[in-house]
Amino acid sequence: ELKVEQNPLFLSMQEGKNYTIYCNYSTTSDRLYWYRQDPGKSLESLFVLLSNGAVKQEGRLMASLDTKARLSTLHITAAVHDLSATYFCAVDQGRSGSRLTFGEGTQLTVNP
Amino acid sequence: DARVTQTPRHKVTEMGQEVTMRCQPILGHNTVFWYRQTMMQGLELLAYFRNRAPLDDSGMPKDRFSAEMPDATLATLKIQPSEPRDSAVYFCASALGQLMNTEAFFGQGTRLTVV
């Protein structure tokens, strides 16, 4: 059974600082997704990583995928308050696609 | 419409009552997921469909939950009878179902409270 683990689960950081969220998964997959969820809201797709070594960047967020290490990272550069949210990674474990398994989520709070 | 639509957005019901949640996937998407989100368990996959056929519903309590896709524009999740432990936010998501990309787009969710 595929397990997806995020680290840390809670992150409080100051504006302007950098930090990395880690997503480890237990079985072979080369398809990984990052989502953002604001309190009481739905999940918003952030990044789609579909191959080993894939790197995507959007604003202050950068995501990467290392399929050999079964690890993805979400790096935050110069954090701002608007980035406060819960971030989920999800791994596709199906050969034919589908069946996303989500991590526990990382609750990020960026303090002024 | 390029979004997943779920109804109702909120539902409060008494234990033992039947609850039906509906989802309209994005037009053209052939894969539909039902997830349940709680503080304790996080996001759990209940069931998913491809081309209206159920592929996996192992995450769903079979005795009380059922999921169907009567047609390509409607997915339903039914709980009968409902119990307080079913209180959660239920998300529907749809995906294009491409072999190498399962980016799922989520609806706004149905917040269910069973009292």
Side-chain angles (χ1 to χ4, degrees):
Chain A
E1 180 185 342
L2 172 62
K3 293 191 188 304
V4 182
E5 296 182 341
Q6 291 182 231
N7 177 41
L9 299 183
F10 299 93
L11 177 55
S12 180
M13 55 191 298
Q14 296 294 119
E15 279 192 330
K17 298 293 187 182
N18 304 332
Y19 209 84
T20 300
I21 298 170
Y22 297 89
C23 173
N24 291 273
Y25 54 99
S26 61
T27 63
T28 302
S29 176
D30 55 5
R31 299 190 287 273
L32 190 140
Y33 310 83
W34 284 95
Y35 287 85
R36 169 181 171 146
Q37 185 178 36
D38 291 297
K41 302 294 185 182
S42 183
L43 282 83
E44 173 190 356
S45 178
L46 290 177
F47 297 109
V48 177
L49 303 170
L50 300 178
S51 62
N52 186 39
V55 177
K56 296 280 185 72
Q57 183 163 4
E58 181 72 34
R60 301 174 188 273
L61 300 178
M62 184 173 70
S64 65
L65 177 61
D66 182 343
T67 60
K68 293 179 181 178
R70 298 178 185 171
L71 171 69
S72 180
T73 60
L74 181 66
H75 187 72
I76 303 155
T77 302
V80 293
H81 179 70
D82 285 352
L83 290 180
S84 297
T86 299
Y87 293 86
F88 291 92
C89 64
V91 178
D92 180 349
Q93 65 179 101
R95 289 186 177 181
S96 60
S98 304
R99 195 177 175 81
L100 293 180
T101 298
F102 280 80
E104 309 98 317
T106 296
Q107 186 175 316
L108 171 65
T109 303
V110 181
N111 303 303
Chain B
D1 194 351
R3 61 178 179 165
V4 178
T5 304
Q6 290 186 246
T7 57
R9 293 289 307 279
H10 303 272
K11 177 73 176 179
V12 180
T13 191
E14 291 184 347
M15 182 173 62
Q17 296 298 305
E18 177 179 301
V19 175
T20 299
M21 292 169 270
R22 293 177 174 80
C23 168
Q24 180 176 346
I26 293 172
L27 189 65
H29 282 194
N30 68 352
T31 305
V32 174
F33 306 88
W34 282 105
Y35 284 91
R36 175 171 64 184
Q37 186 176 37
T38 61
M39 289 294 293
M40 294 301 295
Q41 300 297 327
L43 276 160
E44 303 173 277
L45 178 65
L46 297 176
Y48 75 100
F49 294 77
R50 170 157 294 165
N51 297 323
R52 297 177 54 201
L55 289 190
D56 188 346
D57 60 1
S58 59
M60 212 162 61
K62 299 291 191 303
D63 56 339
R64 298 184 300 108
F65 284 61
S66 62
E68 296 179 346
M69 278 202 75
D71 61 60
T73 64
L74 176 64
T76 62
L77 180 66
K78 188 177 296 185
I79 308 174
Q80 167 64 22
S82 58
E83 298 180 1
R85 59 179 167 154
D86 300 329
S87 297
V89 180
Y90 291 80
F91 286 106
C92 173
S94 72
L96 198 50
Q98 297 170 322
L99 180 62
M100 293 303 295
N101 184 347
T102 317
E103 184 184 13
F105 297 86
F106 281 73
Q108 294 300 305
T110 295
R111 183 174 297 274
L112 173 66
T113 304
V114 183
V115 299

